[in-house]
Structure formats: C-alpha cells, structure tokens
Amino acid sequence: MRKSVDGRGGVPDAWYDAPTFYFSNPYALIGAHDDVPVPPGCRAFDFELEVAAVIGKKGADLSPEQARDHIYGYTIFNDWSARDLQSREMQVGLGPCKGKDTATTLGPWLVTADELEPYRDADGFLRLTLSVSVNGEEVGRDLLSNMAWTFEELAAYASRGARIRPGDVLGSGTCGNGGCLAELWGRNGRQDPPPLQVGGGRGGDDGRGHRHHPQHRRARDVPAAPAQGPDPSPGEPAVMCGA
C-alpha cells in the first residue's frame, strides 16, 4: 500500500519500534448501512478493512497486560481513504489529513472481548479470518493474527503519557493480502482493480447487511486536489466494501 501512496516500497525500521498511529475524525463516523460520502476532489477512493477495539474504561500509562481489561469489545472498522488526496498530503510530512477524515464505518456488530478469547493464540493475537469483497467479488483475505502488534499493545501505547477513555476506538491497521485497493495498485503497478466509483448500479452485500454506496460530497470555495490517475468512468456501478 505504501508504494501506491508515496511511491516507496518496503517497511521503515521505525515500524518495528512502536505501534505508531494517527488520530482520525470522530465526527466522521457512520453506520454500517449508511451511504459513504466521497471527499471533494477525490478520484481514487478506497476502502480499508480493519478490526477495531473499543475501549470500555479509562486508564493511563497502562502495560499491555493491564490494557486487556480496558478493551470492551471489537467491531468491523472500514477506514475509507482518498488515495490521491492522501498521496499529495503525505509529501508534506504530516497527515493523513483530508485524505482520511470524511468517513469511517463501524459495525454492524460489537462483539464483547470475552467472546473472542477462545480465538486468542499463544502470542496474544486473535486468530480470525478477514475477507473483503467489492460487488460480490472477493479481493482480499487475511488473518487478524497477522497484525504486527496486539490490541493490548496498541491500547497500552495509546495510553502512554495520555489517557484512554470509554468509547475510544483503536483500529488494527489495514489487513494484508488485498485489505485495500491501494495494496493491489502497488503490487500491480496500476489502478487495477479500479478505484471505488459513484454510480446508480447495484451495490454489494457481504451477507450481513454491510452495504455501502459512495456518494459525492460537494464543497464550495475549496480548491480540489490536482487529479492523479484516470477520471472515473461515468457508467461505473455503485460499489461496496463488505467485511
């Protein structure tokens, strides 16, 4: 995915030092059945299949062992991304900014932490299968246990010198092996499969009613980002990200 966003491949050494994260927009949360707004100027709209841990009680400077008791449960997390906006913003060395703050989907279900304990492996990861489909065609599949850091380590690091509170949501990071289109673009050297498009055709469904239709969001007096990549085809059908 990194290659398609900033043109560089590989994993930086700092990735292994700590579970680095960014703060997203809490006012952009939408439900699992809601239409998804596309950021103004975006022509490379993408999904990111993740799992999120939802914090159940406050804490600060937690160890990973302590953090486990602060996680109430888990839910599906779709981190919708404007790759063309993100690519341009990241050149500044900050962000992601407007490439990531238009929409984040949660749900439709919240599974309590105790229900997933039987799926925890010896290293503390949750061994769950993840899959994502676009218009009924599977494009990605992975195991949640392939995360670089456990959710307890994520929560502990987030609480370092700070405080986590009930209702905080911690994303796992995008699952591999096709968890987003950008990963496939970097692997294929082109935007194949194509970016998600706004359209009037059929949407998709993952069998749990997790259905999405991208909808354009218009902005006044805001310059659109320069186009990167081909214009979307006007006749493309609506699409979904099911997980």
Side-chain angles (χ1 to χ4, degrees), residues 61 63 85:
D61 294 315
S63 68
L85 307 186

Side-chain angles (χ1 to χ4, degrees), residues 98-139:
K98 304 310 291 183
K100 286 278 193 176
D101 76 342
T102 294
T104 301
T105 297
L106 292 179
W109 308 111
L110 176 65
V111 180
T112 55
D114 61 297
E115 294 181 84
L116 294 185
E117 277 304 308
Y119 302 94
R120 190 180 298 278
D121 67 18
D123 296 317
F125 294 94
L126 297 174
R127 190 172 179 82
L128 301 174
T129 300
L130 308 175
S131 66
V132 57
S133 301
V134 177
N135 284 341
E137 180 179 349
E138 184 174 297
V139 297

Side-chain angles (χ1 to χ4, degrees), residues 19 53-74 113-114 117 120 124 126 149-160 162-166 168 170:
V54 180
I55 299 302
K57 64 178 181 179
K58 64 183 179 181
D61 294 315
L62 303 172
S63 68
E65 294 73 22
Q66 293 171 326
R68 179 170 297 184
D69 292 334
H70 291 255
I71 297 175
Y72 179 80
Y74 302 88
D114 61 297
E117 277 304 308
R120 190 180 298 278
L126 297 174
W149 304 88
T150 67
F151 280 107
E152 290 77 14
E153 289 170 328
L154 300 184
Y157 189 68
S159 75
R160 184 177 177 181
R163 189 173 295 276
I164 56 175
R165 293 176 172 81
D168 285 350
L170 306 179

Side-chain angles (χ1 to χ4, degrees), residues 158-195:
S159 75
R160 184 177 177 181
R163 189 173 295 276
I164 56 175
R165 293 176 172 81
D168 285 350
V169 176
L170 306 179
S172 62
T174 311
C175 78
N177 198 32
C180 65
L181 295 177
E183 178 190 346
L184 302 177
W185 298 342
R187 184 187 306 170
N188 297 331
R190 62 187 185 280
Q191 288 188 341
D192 180 29

